[in-house]
Amino acid sequence: MSQKTEQLNELIAIIRDGQRFYEHAHDEIDNEQLKALLREMAEAKHQIIQALAVKVAANHEAPASSGTLVGKMRQAYADARATLSSDEEATYVAQLEEAEDRILEAFEDALESAQPDVQALLAVEMPKVRECHQRMSALSKKMQ
């Protein structure tokens, strides 16, 4: 596997963690307005994954199909905290904000070290990543 494909697949796995976490949180909460936001965020992650997967496939490689251990651990931690918390929604939002931090950091790191064609792709997707990060950050601050 080429370095380019490895880097893209790592990003796909990290973003897939976020997508699955949003879907899971959506299923765990009752607030319809928040559920709608979580659906939007999961869809944004899906779109980014698709864009990166096209590039991986163009290199005749298979896109990552799973997430990461860190992502699974974060989701389990959020579930445990939500169970113990008096504000389940705020707990999930805070943990989703941390997932967004991880995605943004991974994208920024990849932008610095990627080959030019991958940098161009990441630059196109970066506004979506930043918007998702900003939305969850703002919501988390509002819920504190």
Side-chain angles (χ1 to χ4, degrees), residues 118-143:
V118 173
Q119 281 181 332
L121 172 61
L122 298 181
V124 167
E125 297 302 318
M126 185 58 103
K128 291 178 203 167
V129 172
R130 284 198 174 108
E131 179 185 356
C132 288
H133 182 269
Q134 289 169 348
R135 289 178 79 182
M136 287 313 293
S137 181
L139 182 58
S140 180
K141 285 179 179 64
K142 181 179 172 184
M143 294 180 90

Side-chain angles (χ1 to χ4, degrees), residues 2 13 19 21 43 61 84 88 104 114 118 121 125 129 140:
S2 71
Q19 178 188 15
F21 195 5
E43 179 58 29
E61 300 279 351
L84 299 172
E88 181 180 55
L104 180 60
V118 173
L121 172 61
E125 297 302 318
V129 172
S140 180

Side-chain angles (χ1 to χ4, degrees), residues 22-138:
Y22 277 106
E23 291 167 349
H24 176 75
H26 172 274
D27 293 342
E28 295 297 316
I29 62 163
D30 296 324
N31 179 318
E32 289 302 321
Q33 188 175 14
L34 183 54
K35 284 173 91 84
L37 174 63
L38 298 178
R39 270 192 305 271
E40 284 178 41
M41 299 294 271
E43 179 58 29
K45 302 291 175 266
H46 175 74
Q47 291 172 2
I48 296 167
I49 290 167
Q50 291 303 105
L52 300 181
V54 166
K55 184 69 170 175
V56 171
N59 291 322
H60 308 288
E61 300 279 351
S65 59
S66 63
T68 68
L69 179 60
V70 170
K72 289 176 186 167
M73 290 172 48
R74 180 179 305 280
Q75 186 173 318
Y77 176 72
D79 285 342
R81 289 205 51 194
T83 300
L84 299 172
S85 173
S86 60
D87 191 349
E88 181 180 55
E89 292 173 5
T91 300
Y92 277 112
V93 167
Q95 292 302 307
L96 286 163
E97 180 189 18
E98 288 186 25
E100 289 294 341
D101 290 344
R102 181 175 179 230
I103 292 168
L104 180 60
E105 184 178 322
F107 251 78
E108 289 172 341
D109 289 349
L111 265 171
E112 289 179 15
S113 62
Q115 296 174 7
D117 61 327
V118 173
Q119 281 181 332
L121 172 61
L122 298 181
V124 167
E125 297 302 318
M126 185 58 103
K128 291 178 203 167
V129 172
R130 284 198 174 108
E131 179 185 356
C132 288
H133 182 269
Q134 289 169 348
R135 289 178 79 182
M136 287 313 293
S137 181

Side-chain angles (χ1 to χ4, degrees), residues 10-26:
E10 182 179 332
L11 286 173
I12 289 170
I14 291 169
I15 297 164
R16 192 174 307 285
D17 287 342
Q19 178 188 15
R20 288 179 178 162
F21 195 5
Y22 277 106
E23 291 167 349
H24 176 75
H26 172 274

